[in-house]
Amino acid sequence: MRSFRVARARVLRHRRRMTQTSLSLRAWAELILLAVIWSASFLAVRTALDEIGPFTAVLWRTGLAAVLLALWCALRGVPWPPRRSLAPLAVMGVMNTALPFSLLAWGQQFISTGLTSILNASTAIFGVLAAALLLADERLTAPRAAGVALGFAGVVTVIGPEALLAFDLTSAAQLAVLGATLCYALSGVWARKRLSGLPPVTAALGMLTAATLVMVPVTLMVEGVPSVALQPATWAGILYAACASTALAYLLYYRVLAMAGSGNLLLVTLLIPPMAIALGAWVRDEALPPQAFAGLALLATGLMLLNRRKRAKI
């Protein structure tokens, strides 16, 4: 119990430091590293999907990441989730991991990694809306509403209104990715209401464990028993998604959050799409239509406006 109180005290100290607005060289380096890790995750998952199904990919990703975080917590003496937090963590495991990971993986079968990363950047836009609607201390001011409007204009431009009129697998895939971003936004509100005070790594471990327990029966029913006789490229994609872009990224995310604050951390959202687009073009010869870049510009403008207003509030 004492270790849990110590960990909670660390969380409170981190929250007080979240008001920091200046970025040190170390914070910049880790921020860019986090963006690189997450941008490559879209390519890693897409590579794995060449041989395995989306649910199997998610099961490998969450299961291996949960094992790695459990070992890290054991070695560092980080407390395990207390009994009272198990139910909220189970909900978080579905909303923030199992469901969005599955929607993203399914969508990536039909659209490029670059396009997936652009649409995924709308997470911050949905997050602002969800917080304004569901949290009493968050208001959708006029400047923030302008940022949200620009973001949605960017999303519509990326998808193209004609794509929704002529509905097909590509359109469904893009909507699936947007559904994943909505899950992330809602889970952020849920975490703030039900998991406040829980050490971040402890929450991540509980969430990944719950997600894995959910994905086991889903994968067995839909795609069967996962095979281990996979191509080296498939294993490389799985291991990168699990070890780097999930387990390591969680640890790095909370380090950057403590050093730079939540406002500066939003910069990761702006850095990921260009990197993911470049990787997709280089490795898989993917090309995006001109409207995708125009939509990314609108979305980035909206995100920068939200980030500027958040700094002003601090």
Side-chain angles (χ1 to χ4, degrees):
M1 191 66 185
R2 180 179 178 275
S3 61
F4 183 78
R5 287 197 297 269
V6 171
R8 185 176 182 183
R10 291 175 183 168
V11 173
L12 295 176
R13 287 198 299 271
H14 287 172
R15 284 185 175 178
R16 284 192 292 269
R17 290 201 298 268
M18 279 173 62
T19 58
Q20 176 182 343
T21 58
S22 61
L23 281 170
S24 64
L25 287 177
R26 181 177 178 180
W28 263 117
E30 295 196 11
L31 186 76
I32 293 172
L33 176 60
L34 182 61
V36 171
I37 290 173
W38 270 340
S39 63
S41 69
F42 296 100
L43 178 61
V45 172
R46 185 62 190 88
T47 300
L49 291 172
D50 286 337
E51 186 175 4
I52 61 178
F55 297 127
T56 302
V58 174
L59 176 59
W60 280 119
R61 181 178 183 179
T62 60
L64 292 175
V67 170
L68 289 173
L69 276 186
L71 291 174
W72 191 90
C73 288
L75 291 174
R76 297 295 298 269
V78 177
W80 291 80
R83 187 183 300 273
R84 62 178 175 77
S85 68
L86 294 182
L89 281 172
V91 175
M92 195 70 172
V94 174
M95 290 176 60
N96 194 61
T97 307
L99 184 54
F101 279 13
S102 297
L103 288 170
L104 284 168
W106 183 86
Q108 278 195 263
Q109 297 176 107
F110 310 105
I111 61 177
S112 68
T113 57
L115 185 56
T116 304
S117 69
I118 293 175
L119 294 172
N120 186 66
S122 63
T123 297
I125 303 298
F126 282 113
V128 170
L129 279 180
L133 291 173
L134 301 174
L135 295 175
D137 59 344
E138 293 284 348
R139 294 188 304 108
L140 190 62
T141 61
R144 289 171 70 82
V148 169
L150 278 173
F152 275 117
V155 170
V156 172
T157 303
V158 169
I159 296 177
E162 68 282 355
L164 298 178
L165 296 176
F167 195 77
D168 54 17
L169 277 176
T170 301
S171 302
Q174 293 179 90
L175 291 178
V177 174
L178 288 178
T181 67
L182 180 59
C183 289
Y184 288 138
L186 293 175
S187 64
V189 175
W190 176 264
R192 182 169 168 183
K193 284 189 171 184
R194 301 297 302 274
L195 294 174
S196 60
L198 193 66
V201 179
T202 300
L205 173 60
M207 179 178 62
L208 285 169
T209 302
T212 302
L213 294 176
V214 169
M215 292 308 302
V216 168
V218 172
T219 303
L220 292 177
M221 287 188 295
V222 178
E223 298 174 354
V225 179
S227 172
V228 295
L230 303 173
Q231 295 296 319
T234 305
W235 272 119
I238 290 172
L239 292 175
Y240 183 89
C243 302
S245 66
T246 304
L248 175 61
Y250 270 126
L251 299 177
L252 188 58
Y253 174 89
Y254 291 116
R255 278 175 55 87
V256 176
L257 180 64
M259 285 191 294
S262 55
N264 285 321
L265 194 58
L266 189 62
L267 294 171
V268 172
T269 310
L270 300 174
L271 295 173
I272 290 174
M275 295 179 183
I277 291 169
L279 284 171
W282 178 40
V283 178
R284 300 184 67 91
D285 294 323
E286 296 175 346
L288 293 177
Q291 82 241 19
F293 294 99
L296 175 58
L298 284 171
L299 181 57
T301 303
L303 291 174
M304 286 189 290
L305 181 58
L306 290 175
N307 189 45
R308 186 172 66 83
R309 293 304 303 173
K310 193 163 191 176
R311 291 188 186 189
K313 180 180 177 181
I314 289 173

